[in-house]
Amino acid sequence: MSFHEPVLLEEIIDWLKVFPDKIYVDGTVGMGGHSEAILERSSPTGVLYGFEWNEPSFELAKQRLSKYGDRARLFNLNFIYIKEVLQKEGVLADGILLDLGISSFLLEHSGRGFSFQKDEPLDMRMSLEKELTAEKILNIYDVKRLSQVFLTGEVPSAVKFAQFICERRKRKPFKTTKDLVEAVKEFYKSSRKSLLAVIFQSLRIEVNEELKNLEKVLKEVPEVLKTGGRIAIISFHSLEDRLVKNFFKVDPRIRPVLKKPVVPTLEEIRRNPRARSAKLRVGEKI
Ligand SMILES: C[S@@+](CC[C@H](N)C(=O)[O-])C[C@H]1O[C@@H](n2cnc3c(N)ncnc32)[C@H](O)[C@@H]1O
């Protein structure tokens, strides 16, 4: 069963320098595609510490990777705990991967309202440990906070759209993704996929505190990388990519390995359109 095609797979294996006897971390195991490739290439002795906070994804990945026995050490946790777990285990990593954002499984099968093409409750929590949902944001945030969510997410006419949402919810509270799609159509007089995608993404980022998590993990992972160890990060939007690029530039513990990000080939994009906005950046511990 495949719910997600791993993006930039060969590139990740090359740039992370995957070999036996080494220790790797996959901070975003998802369906386990990258994890499985890392375990294969580091066979027979490489070890992988995997983190996945979405409960159903974690269970599926656990089953898929069970054939690797003790070489696959999986944690149903937010990747902000990488440092804590590795320090508790007394290990440093040779390579760390973060494949940010959302999986095809979450979009298609979670029922949590990530896709504007389905009518589902406006939840958008990747992990049920979180309390905030997209429904609460749309119905409770005041204009200022909601504007900030849309501004951060680079939504067009962010402030005016936030004002419109706050007026519209007096008539009809937001409950499902269909309510949000209708509001977008009413306000923008358009239901362009790229517009809907950016609006849904901005709410998902807020619900899951995605930028905050990324900032925290970037600050901490250099402490659990061996000298010469690498961190590879795939991002899917400019907000994340900017954070990563800047981190590699200013953190004195890490040197950027690549001048420009690696992007998927046309062949990969044809096979897997979800890969089209992926950017891979790689840093090395000094
Ligand atoms: C793009 S998918 C990863 C796909 C994976 N590389 C594969 O090959 O199947 C991102 C995954 O990371 C998870 N995720 C996102 N943020 C996370 C976080 N802060 N901590 C742990 N998992 C996270 C999501 O639940 C999702 O399953």
Side-chain angles (χ1 to χ4, degrees):
M1 184 163 47
S2 169
F3 289 122
H4 183 89
E5 180 164 346
V7 170
L8 293 166
L9 186 60
E10 280 309 314
E11 291 84 347
I12 287 293
I13 298 295
D14 284 349
W15 288 106
L16 268 187
K17 298 198 286 188
V18 177
F19 294 110
D21 284 333
K22 307 255 179 197
I23 295 175
Y24 298 93
V25 175
D26 184 348
T28 50
V29 170
M31 296 291 101
H34 286 107
S35 290
E36 182 164 53
I38 292 171
L39 283 158
E40 282 296 322
R41 299 293 180 93
S42 64
S43 173
T45 45
V47 169
L48 177 108
Y49 288 87
F51 293 75
E52 172 56 56
W53 65 354
N54 175 255
E55 302 76 10
S57 304
F58 174 77
E59 290 305 325
L60 287 165
K62 203 164 93 178
Q63 270 176 31
R64 176 175 183 178
L65 302 176
S66 61
K67 61 185 173 204
Y68 298 102
D70 189 38
R71 290 180 55 218
R73 303 178 187 171
L74 303 182
F75 299 83
N76 185 198
L77 284 177
N78 190 326
F79 59 54
I80 60 171
Y81 295 109
I82 290 176
K83 177 179 147 193
E84 199 178 309
V85 169
L86 264 63
Q87 287 186 337
K88 214 185 263 169
E89 299 271 320
V91 293
L92 290 174
D94 294 281
I96 298 179
L97 166 67
L98 295 175
D99 175 17
L100 298 170
I102 192 154
S103 64
S104 315
F105 171 75
L106 289 176
L107 271 171
E108 303 294 331
H109 304 283
S110 69
R112 294 190 193 168
F114 292 107
S115 168
F116 53 80
Q117 284 167 332
K118 293 177 179 284
D119 190 22
E120 293 173 348
L122 277 163
D123 186 319
M124 297 203 196
R125 285 172 298 170
M126 292 195 207
S127 162
L128 294 182
E129 262 188 11
K130 301 231 161 271
E131 281 176 11
L132 186 62
T133 62
E135 181 182 336
K136 286 186 190 157
I137 293 174
L138 290 166
N139 289 317
I140 295 170
Y141 271 25
D142 62 18
V143 175
K144 203 170 153 207
R145 273 184 95 185
L146 196 53
S147 301
Q148 199 49 56
V149 171
F150 294 145
L151 284 168
T152 305
E154 298 176 336
V155 170
S157 310
V159 175
K160 288 205 166 117
F161 183 53
Q163 287 164 342
F164 174 78
I165 294 280
C166 293
E167 278 307 309
R168 193 183 191 273
R169 72 191 182 198
K170 291 182 196 156
R171 272 189 275 136
K172 187 176 176 230
F174 288 90
K175 277 205 156 55
T176 70
T177 46
K178 202 166 149 219
D179 297 331
L180 180 56
V181 171
E182 274 168 11
V184 171
K185 281 187 197 158
E186 258 179 68
F187 179 75
Y188 292 97
K189 315 281 177 251
S190 162
S191 54
R192 268 192 345 268
K193 276 190 182 174
S194 56
L195 175 65
L196 286 163
V198 91
I199 291 168
F200 272 62
Q201 177 176 274
S202 68
L203 291 164
R204 198 198 80 209
I205 290 173
E206 175 75 3
V207 167
N208 297 287
E209 298 185 291
E210 291 178 36
L211 301 178
K212 215 165 121 190
N213 291 335
L214 181 58
E215 277 173 355
K216 183 165 170 23
V217 80
L218 288 176
K219 243 185 244 155
E220 294 188 352
V221 286
E223 292 176 47
V224 290
L225 261 182
K226 288 182 194 162
T227 302
R230 288 191 168 178
I231 171 154
I233 305 180
I234 305 174
S235 57
F236 289 85
H237 55 81
S238 56
L239 304 166
E240 286 172 343
D241 185 54
R242 227 174 289 143
L243 272 180
V244 176
K245 183 177 166 188
N246 199 41
F247 162 72
F248 286 164
K249 214 185 310 169
V250 303
D251 194 305
R253 300 166 295 177
I254 297 282
R255 72 166 187 95
V257 173
L258 304 162
K259 279 215 174 80
K260 286 200 165 152
V262 176
V263 294
T265 58
L266 285 177
E267 160 54 24
E268 175 168 1
I269 295 172
R270 218 169 293 138
R271 205 179 56 238
N272 178 18
R274 211 190 66 85
R276 69 188 174 280
S277 44
K279 279 190 182 154
L280 166 66
R281 291 191 188 268
V282 183
E284 190 171 275
K285 172 84 180 282
I286 295 169

